[in-house]
Amino acid sequence: MDEWIDAWNAHDIERILAHWADDCVFASPRIAAVMGDPSGTVRGKDALRAYWWKALASAPQLRFELEEVYVGVDCLVIGYRNHRGQRCAEWLRLDREGQAVEGRASYAG
């Protein structure tokens, strides 16, 4: 998980995307806000790159602090705090190579 946190804190989109499959799906309430897409979902690595590029450009102070990692059969849940001190969680479903094929972000109120 150190690599995941380090990549995000470095704002290195290609390092972040290295953990994702080409045909991935990601959903987050932030997608609706940042991309203007009410579905809150992006499909494919190129769409994910475009979302994160725009999101990181609008939040240059973004930093994550890892709190918890939960390991399932084919998934992970990563609990962390963002730069605003907000508690966040990401659920990631992994393929056989360990790349994320699906992800969902959730944020504490």
Side-chain angles (χ1 to χ4, degrees):
M1 291 312 338
D2 289 340
E3 167 56 21
W4 186 85
I5 292 290
D6 290 346
W8 272 106
N9 288 344
H11 296 197
D12 188 330
I13 292 175
E14 294 310 314
R15 276 177 58 200
I16 297 165
L17 288 169
H19 301 277
W20 289 82
D22 289 339
D23 60 348
C24 62
V25 177
F26 186 71
S28 168
R30 296 290 305 141
I31 292 170
V34 171
M35 302 301 283
D37 181 347
S39 76
T41 303
V42 294
R43 298 182 190 301
K45 196 181 271 191
D46 288 340
L48 190 57
R49 179 183 288 109
Y51 161 57
W52 281 337
W53 186 262
K54 191 170 182 178
L56 285 171
S58 70
Q61 72 282 18
L62 182 117
R63 287 197 53 79
F64 293 161
E65 180 183 333
L66 184 65
E67 291 192 332
E68 300 283 342
V69 177
Y70 303 91
V71 179
V73 173
D74 65 350
C75 63
L76 295 173
V77 175
I78 305 166
Y80 60 95
R81 285 193 187 266
N82 64 20
H83 59 290
R84 294 184 303 270
Q86 182 181 34
R87 295 184 77 185
C88 312
E90 288 194 20
W91 170 85
L92 305 174
R93 186 169 57 86
L94 308 175
D95 65 15
R96 291 180 186 195
E97 288 76 41
Q99 286 194 306
V101 294
E102 184 179 4
R104 299 191 176 274
S106 300
Y107 305 91

